[in-house]
Amino acid sequence: MGSWASEDTERDGGQAVGERRRGGRRPGAVLAEADGLRAAAGAVVADHRGAVEQVRAAYLGLRDRLVADELGAIPTARLRDVTEGRLRVGALEAAGLGTVRQVAEASRYTLQLIPGVGAQTAAQALAAAGQIARAVEQTVAVRLDVDRQDPLGTALVVALQRLVAAGPDARRARETAERVQAELEPLVVAAQPARGVLRGLFAGRERRARAQAAVERLEKVLAGFGAQDVPVLLAQASVDLLRPPVEAVEAWTDFELRSADYYGVLGGIVEEAGTELAAAEGFLPEELSDRVRAEPLDDTHCRVSLRGYQAFGARFVLARKRVIIGDEMGLGKTIQAIAVLAHLRARGSTHFLVVCPASVLINWTREVESRSTLRAYRVHGQEREAALAEWLREGGVAVVTFDGLRRLEPAEVAEAVTVGMVVVDEAHFVKNRAAQRSRAVAAWVERVERVLFLTGTPMENRVEEFRSLVQYLQPELVPEVRPDSAAAGPVAFRKAVAPAYLRRNQQDVLTELPEVVHVDEWEEFSPADLAAYRSAVAAGNFPAMRRAGYADPADSAKLRRLLEIVGEAAESGLKVVVFSFFRDVLAAVREALERRPFGPVDGSLGAARRQEVVDAFSAVSGHAVLLCQIQAGGVGLNIQAASVVILCEPQVKPTLEEQAVARSRRMGQVRRVRVHRLLAADSVDQRMLDLLRAKGRLFDDYARRSEVAESTPEAVDVSERSLAELIVEEEQLRLAARADETAEDGGPAQDGASSADGHPSASARR
């Protein structure tokens, strides 16, 4: 017999002599561990399949209802078109079957009871109705409507919430579980004779030898899974997937906060109806599309589920190496870039560089760290050198401005590390190759194998600008791009420049795009704005704190970002409405805009005059800007002409923002509304968002626990005055603490936020 069988048959005082195999554990222990891991893997696969099937069933229920609604709007006469006029529908219409839905829902027997309708006509009618229904199924877009929240939509949102909450790790856990099952199953079967003495005795020498080899292999495989933390991953996935369904209100609230994640998960489960594949792939030539789709994409380091078109975009970048992604604003160019960086990190690259305007520097660092496991470093400002040194030492994504790039020598960096990829956001900023920023970008592009340019500006009508950008990436393509290249239209242009350019439009790929997409634009105070902010905090002046970001309009980061958003909207011919609580902020915006805006609509205007201003704004063909004081413009006006909304600062009452945005959401709005909220990091803006997002917890902390607060959720609220006092006090304490830390480090103390005795100023306590 083999060693483990003979050892187990020898007895000494009732104990097995062979407690362990030579060089390893007892076979029974190895198999028990394998059985446990197989069971855990099987549970994850089953639980994930169950969650997916629940989503699919809810989706089909909602889709079928939408299809029925569509069929209910199609007259029965259209059945003639399907049958090339052969079907006589007069009898059907005379019997009250006026829509295709009514015909489709009828049985053949019911139709044959209608005078003038025989078996053949009934069969033809049902076949024609079925053909139309299938066509509608292929085109209907399933949209989750937060304003409707009917049972079918709620069932889908609740089903999706479980997978969204579990995150991409749930899908990865299922894939890992399937791999565990595939690897362990044959080894466990081969190792069966090792489960006990009797099995070993009757197995025969050859099977015992194979069993011993299988046990040894099992032990190594299990050790490998353990090193990869597979048991932990599977256990966590089981916990996530077995959580009880949340309440409908919680699911809908979560959907409103991150609808893109919900649609991303849904798109991974069901085919995205209404999305034309050619449009989702930017009308690339078929041969190139096939190569791109075959490109592997490792999302191990991603924390977000990619939509189909986003995954294609990431694969395009990986396949072509040096390209421009020119997707329309709002399609997730940043997420696609991060997906590429995450893939390269999984394949061994460690250092990456992102170049962007200063106005989106914070957004990039936040997106990288929230959407991936990569670390982001802001190589900018006073901490520039420290951030650069840490990036070089630890790896990750260095985010630098165009001006900052000029001080980052590629040759010096190349001596220390290999940069796996350079991403240039708002790449049209370097269209002038003679500019200093352009020369800095060119120096880096020449040294790095993989380069991605991002721009939301459509290149089809900017051929010379496009030629300039392609010159950086694929100069051999420039002769193919002639001044008249755009004359044949955007699709022909994209096919001609396909090796270097990918662009998709919202209407082509986001058929279910929610009516409102919220974007938080985080900026840093300029020195002048920061000084004004600290002065306002010291004085306990809450309104001055809220508008400190515009204290110095000539150097306001918020105002710069606002002008960029307006400029992007102008490029696309979109109308913009700008809201602020403060008249002086609107005055600063008005002064900064080159084209004279409409308004401001504020409390000084009567209702009739307000509507006249809005009507004049709506009557303009193409781009225009309307300024509104949020208290005045947020109520009673229809501004559905605007599809871009800018909020200059967060509001104390969320309902103010909701009412203002609702002015652009009304019936008649033909575009999705994009809401940009301008925020200053480490300021009253951040405090307000943190507190308002956790109103319940805030009430508990501020007003103490009460049965009313716990039993009546709608009573959990905080007055504007209480919120202002709390935020002022927090900011005074925070800045005072920072000043104390600076003083302890030997630097100048700049508190200005507390009185001489170190306590918050009297204005904060009032």
Side-chain angles (χ1 to χ4, degrees), residues 236-304:
Q236 183 59 55
S238 288
V239 171
D240 292 337
L241 293 171
L242 290 177
R243 287 196 176 104
V246 299
E247 295 294 329
V249 64
E250 182 179 346
W252 279 110
T253 300
D254 190 50
F255 171 76
E256 287 189 73
L257 292 174
R258 44 177 178 165
S259 59
D261 292 341
Y262 278 73
Y263 282 118
V265 170
L266 182 61
I269 295 174
V270 299
E271 184 177 351
E272 297 180 60
T275 300
E276 183 186 350
L277 183 61
E281 296 182 351
F283 300 101
L284 297 183
E286 185 176 352
E287 181 183 356
L288 178 55
S289 289
D290 291 342
R291 291 202 304 270
V292 169
R293 285 194 295 270
E295 187 74 22
L297 179 62
D298 191 328
D299 66 351
T300 302
H301 293 282
C302 270
R303 289 177 173 160
V304 62

Side-chain angles (χ1 to χ4, degrees), residues 72-238:
I74 300 175
T76 302
R78 291 293 303 276
L79 297 176
R80 275 198 301 259
D81 300 335
V82 177
T83 59
E84 298 179 349
R86 292 192 299 272
L87 179 65
R88 292 173 295 179
V89 299
L92 299 175
E93 293 173 328
L97 301 180
T99 69
V100 173
R101 175 179 180 175
Q102 290 173 315
V103 175
E105 292 177 348
S107 67
R108 181 179 297 191
Y109 174 75
T110 302
L111 294 179
Q112 289 182 226
L113 292 178
I114 298 173
V117 176
Q120 183 177 357
T121 300
Q124 285 181 330
L126 290 174
Q131 188 173 342
I132 292 177
R134 287 189 293 274
V136 171
E137 283 181 7
Q138 296 300 315
T139 58
V140 70
V142 173
R143 296 185 177 93
L144 292 167
D145 190 346
V146 296
D147 293 324
R148 187 169 183 176
Q149 297 189 14
D150 61 6
L152 291 173
T154 297
L156 180 54
V157 170
V158 170
L160 282 168
Q161 194 277 337
R162 177 181 299 175
L163 289 171
V164 171
D169 279 347
R171 178 180 49 78
R172 284 194 282 268
R174 185 210 70 215
E175 294 170 351
T176 300
E178 291 170 345
R179 179 164 58 90
V180 166
Q181 289 179 315
E183 291 193 34
L184 294 187
E185 186 68 27
L187 292 174
V188 169
V189 171
Q192 288 303 309
R195 286 194 180 275
V197 175
L198 290 179
R199 291 193 184 192
L201 288 171
F202 291 101
R205 183 180 299 276
E206 186 177 343
R207 284 191 62 198
R208 287 198 301 272
R210 287 200 302 268
Q212 182 170 335
V215 170
E216 292 172 356
R217 176 60 183 158
L218 263 178
E219 193 166 14
K220 291 179 181 178
V221 170
L222 291 171
F225 285 144
Q228 298 170 25
D229 290 329
V230 168
V232 176
L233 176 65
L234 298 182
Q236 183 59 55
S238 288

Side-chain angles (χ1 to χ4, degrees), residues 406-430:
R406 290 159 50 190
R407 290 179 287 167
L408 193 62
E409 287 294 333
E412 295 179 6
V413 173
E415 291 180 2
V417 299
T418 298
V419 175
M421 186 171 189
V422 171
V423 179
V424 180
D425 195 12
E426 305 292 353
H428 50 275
F429 279 24
V430 296

Side-chain angles (χ1 to χ4, degrees), residues 300-347:
T300 302
H301 293 282
C302 270
R303 289 177 173 160
V304 62
S305 297
L306 298 178
R307 299 294 300 272
Y309 75 89
Q310 292 172 336
F312 182 87
R315 288 187 168 93
F316 175 77
V317 177
L318 292 168
R320 298 300 304 163
K321 295 186 178 180
R322 301 167 70 88
V323 296
I324 303 168
I325 295 289
D327 288 345
E328 190 176 15
M329 185 182 5
L331 294 186
K333 294 187 290 293
T334 300
I335 290 175
Q336 294 174 66
I338 292 171
V340 175
L341 300 182
H343 169 91
L344 295 175
R345 177 66 188 88
R347 297 305 171 93

Side-chain angles (χ1 to χ4, degrees), residues 33 67 105 151 206 231 507 567 619 621 693-694:
E33 182 181 349
V67 169
E105 292 177 348
E206 186 177 343
Q507 64 182 12
S621 176
R693 284 172 178 168

Side-chain angles (χ1 to χ4, degrees), residues 146-147 236 335 449 471-473 567 609 611 614 665:
V146 296
D147 293 324
Q236 183 59 55
I335 290 175
E449 179 185 12
Q471 183 71 42
Y472 291 97
L473 305 171
R609 178 56 184 152
Q611 193 59 57
V614 172
R665 293 182 66 187

